[in-house]
Amino acid sequence: MSKYLVCGAGGFIGGHLVKRLMDQGNDVVCADIKPTEYWFQYFEENQNYSLDLKEYENCLKVTEGTDFIYNMACNMGGMGFIENNKAECMLSVLINTNLLRACIQNKVSKYFFSSSACVYNGQKQKEIFVPGLKEADAYPAEPEDGYGWEKLFSERMCRHFTEDFGLETRVVRYHNVYGPIGTYDGGREKAPAALCRKIINAKMNNIDTIDVWGDGKQTRSFMYIDDCLDGTEKVFNSSKKEVYNVGSSEQVSINQMIDMIEEIAKVKLKRNFQLDKPKGVRGRSSDNTKIENEINWSPKINLKDGLEKTYKWIFDQIKSGSNTSKYTRSY
Ligand code: GDD
């Protein structure tokens, strides 16, 4: 039986990944900076560590005896968080750096780094409904300030650890992952969850208007968590060492996504466009040609279906009076 370490196991993608690895019968070690009571998904039977992976000693401790590592750990969130916490986002470079060093020391077989669509050159994302971003579009480098620079730098560090020390690494660039058991309030939430929450609140409280950041014409593609895990697993298990997009090519404007959520909620609301709020790039989507051809993966869940599942989960959370902000504060 292989031993997997999931770093960032208390977060949204990390939590779902731990569950999947356990369902497959693997031995899983989990690490996260948050106290375990704040993990989105927590499984007692695993070996669970709450510690700061920015510290090398902690990286040495959790990697000892593990074969495969998924590094999902970083300080992140939606536009509202990454535009206002650039230094915090860049400090995640210490996690990747010290994990890579520990992998060499502890002779780990394979290491996965979760990169982001935020590495892509901003010049290619200046219009709405732009062509999907190809992997090569990350260079010449002009990534998202703070968060995107850290991701791009860490991608390269993985590459050089492979070249110089022979460590097997795999890197993917996620495009706005969403789904149940994730952040929908507290300041780190991304657009799909934030807009579900706002529409649910409006409906429950008979309010006729929701706040929308920007003019609603900006575009994105959103990837459902199950697709994210499938793509991740396929790249991890492949012999190919390239960097791949793991995202959806279903590009929609924020207004189109709101239309879908309103249809799910069976409500029609007015939109108060807040032009002074964080907006990020004007247009972004994933070109999946490379991963389709080389890894034979493409997402299966369309946005409407994924939003339905996400909406239902957030609705149940709000109805039961819970909120996730305690899971998502900074440590
Ligand atoms: N978060 C949020 N909340 N965004 C909103 C809202 C709202 O209530 N209303 C409209 N938006 C708009 C934002 O202004 C932005 O233009 C767009 O929806 C998408 O916002 P986010 O989902 O927050 O982020 P993003 O797609 O720009 O970037 C996210 O995905 C990247 C990967 O593709 C971030 O999470 C990055 O950290 C991540 O790397």
Side-chain angles (χ1 to χ4, degrees):
M1 192 161 62
S2 304
K3 201 167 189 176
Y4 284 83
L5 166 66
V6 177
C7 301
F12 165 52
I13 301 177
H16 284 280
L17 177 62
V18 168
K19 171 83 171 52
R20 176 176 289 216
L21 290 170
M22 290 171 70
D23 289 347
Q24 292 167 348
N26 295 297
D27 192 0
V28 188
V29 180
C30 301
D32 201 291
I33 194 168
K34 293 185 280 191
T36 53
E37 63 265 35
Y38 298 145
W39 293 15
F40 276 116
Q41 301 193 55
Y42 176 74
F43 305 95
E44 227 170 49
E45 57 270 48
N46 294 333
Q47 207 176 336
N48 296 300
Y49 293 95
S50 167
L51 38 68
D52 186 353
L53 292 169
K54 295 197 287 306
E55 303 293 337
Y56 181 53
E57 293 306 316
N58 289 338
C59 290
L60 276 179
K61 184 172 166 182
V62 296
T63 55
E64 198 181 345
T66 62
D67 306 297
F68 302 121
I69 298 181
Y70 281 104
N71 176 17
M72 304 291 178
C74 68
N75 208 340
M76 71 89 66
M79 264 306 133
F81 181 79
I82 64 172
E83 276 201 5
N84 293 304
N85 295 275
K86 292 180 185 143
E88 279 293 333
C89 290
M90 291 203 87
L91 279 173
S92 298
V93 76
L94 295 173
I95 302 174
N96 185 60
T97 306
N98 285 323
L99 279 172
L100 284 169
R101 292 171 68 209
C103 282
I104 303 299
Q105 180 71 25
N106 283 330
K107 300 189 171 44
V108 167
S109 303
K110 206 190 266 185
Y111 176 83
F112 174 94
F113 176 67
S114 50
S115 187
S116 161
C118 285
V119 302
Y120 284 112
N121 187 311
Q123 295 301 326
K124 305 203 166 167
Q125 305 171 74
K126 288 209 168 298
E127 307 293 333
I128 56 171
F129 291 105
V130 281
L133 292 157
K134 294 184 193 301
E135 286 78 355
D137 290 332
Y139 294 99
E142 194 192 316
E144 179 83 34
D145 202 5
Y147 182 79
W149 275 107
E150 188 279 318
K151 290 291 186 190
L152 194 62
F153 177 88
S154 292
E155 283 188 4
R156 284 187 89 93
M157 202 182 299
C158 290
R159 182 172 121 192
H160 298 311
F161 266 68
T162 302
E163 289 165 356
D164 295 359
F165 305 126
L167 174 66
E168 286 267 329
T169 60
R170 298 290 181 273
V171 175
V172 303
R173 294 175 183 152
Y174 290 141
H175 289 249
N176 209 318
V177 186
Y178 72 100
I181 329 186
T183 312
Y184 64 86
D185 63 4
R188 289 178 188 252
E189 62 278 15
K190 290 179 274 176
L195 292 163
C196 283
R197 184 200 75 225
K198 288 175 182 182
I199 289 170
I200 291 164
N201 278 335
K203 196 178 163 183
M204 280 182 171
N205 299 304
N206 284 320
I207 298 166
D208 67 352
T209 307
I210 54 162
D211 289 336
V212 178
W213 296 357
D215 62 6
K217 294 180 185 145
Q218 66 271 47
T219 62
R220 294 291 186 276
S221 66
F222 300 95
M223 178 174 49
Y224 191 67
I225 182 69
D226 293 2
D227 281 331
C228 167
L229 296 183
D230 290 345
T232 298
E233 202 172 23
K234 275 210 144 183
V235 172
F236 191 79
N237 293 329
S238 157
S239 59
K240 300 269 176 19
K241 296 175 182 172
E242 298 283 308
V243 174
Y244 294 99
N245 280 329
V246 171
S248 161
S249 52
E250 185 186 348
Q251 190 174 16
V252 294
S253 69
I254 296 301
N255 276 329
Q256 287 173 326
M257 181 164 70
I258 296 171
D259 292 341
M260 289 183 193
I261 304 171
E262 285 179 337
E263 212 178 303
I264 293 164
K266 299 189 178 54
V267 70
K268 198 73 201 154
L269 300 161
K270 288 186 224 150
R271 297 169 195 183
N272 173 38
F273 295 109
Q274 299 177 300
L275 303 182
D276 57 339
K277 293 287 183 187
K279 295 180 283 293
V281 295
R282 192 71 177 134
R284 173 185 288 161
S285 165
S286 178
D287 180 313
N288 290 342
T289 312
K290 187 173 166 191
I291 191 164
E292 277 169 18
N293 291 344
E294 296 180 15
I295 307 280
N296 193 24
W297 175 84
S298 52
K300 295 189 174 48
I301 300 162
N302 67 37
L303 182 58
K304 180 76 190 303
D305 292 347
L307 283 173
E308 244 169 72
K309 295 175 207 277
T310 309
Y311 179 93
K312 184 179 179 323
W313 182 80
I314 296 174
F315 182 87
D316 290 344
Q317 298 303 301
I318 293 176
K319 204 169 161 217
S320 69
S322 74
N323 72 68
T324 60
S325 46
K326 68 172 183 177
Y327 298 104
T328 58
R329 46 182 259 240
S330 291
Y331 289 90

